Amino acid sequence: MRISELAATTGSSVSTIKYYLREGLMPPGASRGATQADYGPAHVHRIRVIKALAGVAGLPIHKVREVLRLIDEPGGNTFDTLGRAVAALPPYLHDAGAGDPQSGTPYPLARAALESLGQVFDPGYAAVAQLERALQAVADAGIPLSDERLGVYGRSLMELAEYDIAGMPGEAAATVEHAVLGTALYEPVILALRRLAHQDAAARRLGDPPGP
Amino acid sequence: MRISELAATTGSSVSTIKYYLREGLMPPGASRGATQADYGPAHVHRIRVIKALAGVAGLPIHKVREVLRLIDEPGGNTFDTLGRAVAALPPYLHDAGAGDPQSGTPYPLARAALESLGQVFDPGYAAVAQLERALQAVADAGIPLSDERLGVYGRSLMELAEYDIAGMPGEAAATVEHAVLGTALYEPVILALRRLAHQDAAARRLGDPPGP
């Protein structure tokens, strides 16, 4: 299809698509002469991925490029590539508390939580810094994570995560794309579902369900 | 204590505390003469709440005021007050897809999901619009929420939410504060724990755990 059809199909503007091409975010179309190019389903798919990352997930363009490069060239170590791809997603923590510099143990709260859950983790993984900051914030607000709550949250979220991982495609490039989109785009679904589960549980507890 | 001590205790500046006082976010201290006022533990606590809302949770100041007013005057219907307080938290959706205007059914994706889960919900609650937008985004990206995934996510998050609700204090003002802080500040904890659960589950599946 022509670039105008590609724009119509994906709900993008021609100038946006030209921008993606200039930025090297997707391969050029097959040449059909000096001024025309032919685009196919792979371009439609790639635009959908770019829009999801740059739009809903809120990645800046250099992070979109980083993720796409990992999708295109996942390399031999899928576990490592997955970690790097997901680490390209927000939030970006530049000054996440690296723990007490005296003791030299980075991310003490996150480490203690993960060790208590018995989970395997790479201490350099971005989500460890993210967890540390989040745990520091709840502690600062006077509602620190209790062992009991950690147990409930850890168990519930592992059930959910195991379902996600079981659905991973086998092929490396597809796995990376699936992991990145599934992580970023399902986070708002999870937060909204939790707030709505609170409403349902509160209605049962307070005996005061919303009207019709 | 004096305002300078209050600042030192809470890690705030005196000018920030004066700003909170001017904005009516907390009551003035007890007068100790024309130019001095005396502050107590309630002020320390209030500053901690304001900092959590305005800082980590990212609320603009008029939303902080709205939440504090609901904490101070929760009214008789705690269920309703809780809903309004949590609705003051981000994300703020101004143009969340209200569904097909032809059919007149707002939030069709969110409604279908919640009805499938059998949950009680107020269709006007902000989290319904939030869920609608999130479900539209995953559908647009080609990874729509399947019934199976909805079942797994819904069950896991209800377990987690029931734990949260069981821990709610009985008194109305404390309940509102607890719900708002627990919702906002535990969301980053949940997202980080999910990413780390993915890492653990992926390591088990890919047989490629991170090194020491």
Side-chain angles (χ1 to χ4, degrees):
Chain A
M1 71 187 89
R2 294 174 181 216
I3 195 165
S4 55
E5 293 167 273
L6 181 62
T9 304
T10 58
S12 309
S13 67
V14 169
S15 66
T16 298
I17 295 175
K18 286 185 173 170
Y19 170 70
Y20 293 164
L21 289 165
R22 267 201 317 278
E23 291 285 325
L25 302 182
M26 59 181 206
S31 177
R32 291 205 307 183
T35 60
Q36 284 200 3
D38 195 37
Y39 299 92
H43 291 95
V44 173
H45 179 77
R46 176 52 67 104
I47 289 174
R48 192 179 272 181
V49 172
I50 296 171
K51 286 177 79 166
L53 294 173
V56 187
L59 272 69
I61 208 73
H62 71 279
K63 292 285 185 183
V64 174
R65 185 181 296 108
E66 191 176 323
V67 170
L68 295 174
R69 196 173 293 141
L70 292 166
I71 291 171
D72 292 337
E73 296 165 23
N77 187 332
T78 304
F79 182 87
D80 185 59
T81 305
L82 283 176
R84 282 190 288 144
V86 173
L89 301 175
Y92 305 117
L93 308 180
H94 300 296
D95 57 344
D100 181 356
Q102 302 297 312
S103 77
T105 306
Y107 312 128
L109 299 173
R111 274 171 176 270
L114 292 165
E115 280 162 15
S116 154
L117 291 172
Q119 287 181 203
V120 163
F121 68 102
D122 170 0
Y125 186 44
V128 179
Q130 196 183 335
L131 181 61
E132 182 72 18
R133 176 176 284 199
L135 293 178
Q136 189 62 60
V138 292
D140 288 347
I143 45 170
L145 182 68
S146 66
D147 287 346
E148 190 185 67
R149 187 189 273 234
L150 173 63
V152 172
Y153 278 35
R155 198 166 51 243
S156 298
L157 294 167
M158 184 54 78
E159 191 188 336
L160 195 151
E162 279 177 345
Y163 176 81
D164 292 340
I165 296 295
M168 278 203 312
E171 192 256 323
T175 298
V176 175
E177 186 179 298
H178 178 90
V180 168
L181 293 182
T183 299
L185 301 186
Y186 271 96
E187 289 184 347
V189 174
I190 286 166
L191 297 185
L193 282 175
R194 174 174 177 249
R195 290 191 187 183
L196 288 157
H198 281 152
Q199 184 168 62
D200 180 77
R204 278 181 277 128
R205 166 154 163 182
L206 298 169
D208 195 6
Chain B
M1 70 187 89
R2 294 176 179 214
I3 195 166
S4 56
E5 292 166 272
L6 181 61
T9 303
T10 58
S12 311
S13 67
V14 169
S15 65
T16 297
I17 294 174
K18 286 185 173 170
Y19 170 70
Y20 294 163
L21 290 165
R22 267 202 317 278
E23 290 286 324
L25 301 182
M26 60 181 208
S31 176
R32 289 206 307 183
T35 58
Q36 284 202 2
D38 196 36
Y39 299 91
H43 290 95
V44 172
H45 179 78
R46 176 53 67 103
I47 290 174
R48 191 180 273 182
V49 173
I50 296 171
K51 287 178 78 165
L53 293 174
V56 187
L59 272 68
I61 208 74
H62 71 279
K63 293 285 186 183
V64 174
R65 186 182 295 109
E66 191 177 323
V67 170
L68 295 174
R69 197 174 292 142
L70 291 166
I71 290 171
D72 292 338
E73 296 165 24
N77 187 331
T78 304
F79 182 86
D80 185 61
T81 305
L82 283 177
R84 282 190 289 143
V86 172
L89 301 175
Y92 306 117
L93 308 180
H94 300 296
D95 57 346
D100 181 356
Q102 302 297 314
S103 78
T105 307
Y107 312 129
L109 299 173
R111 273 173 178 273
L114 292 165
E115 280 161 15
S116 154
L117 291 172
Q119 287 181 203
V120 163
F121 68 101
D122 170 0
Y125 186 45
V128 179
Q130 196 183 336
L131 180 61
E132 182 71 18
R133 175 175 286 198
L135 292 178
Q136 189 63 59
V138 292
D140 288 348
I143 45 171
L145 182 67
S146 67
D147 287 347
E148 191 185 67
R149 187 190 274 234
L150 173 63
V152 172
Y153 278 36
R155 197 167 50 245
S156 298
L157 293 166
M158 184 55 78
E159 190 188 335
L160 194 150
E162 278 177 345
Y163 177 81
D164 291 340
I165 296 295
M168 281 203 309
E171 193 255 321
T175 298
V176 174
E177 185 178 299
H178 179 89
V180 168
L181 293 182
T183 299
L185 302 187
Y186 270 96
E187 289 185 347
V189 174
I190 286 167
L191 297 185
L193 282 174
R194 175 173 176 249
R195 291 191 187 183
L196 288 157
H198 282 152
Q199 183 167 64
D200 179 77
R204 279 181 277 127
R205 167 155 163 182
L206 298 169
D208 195 6

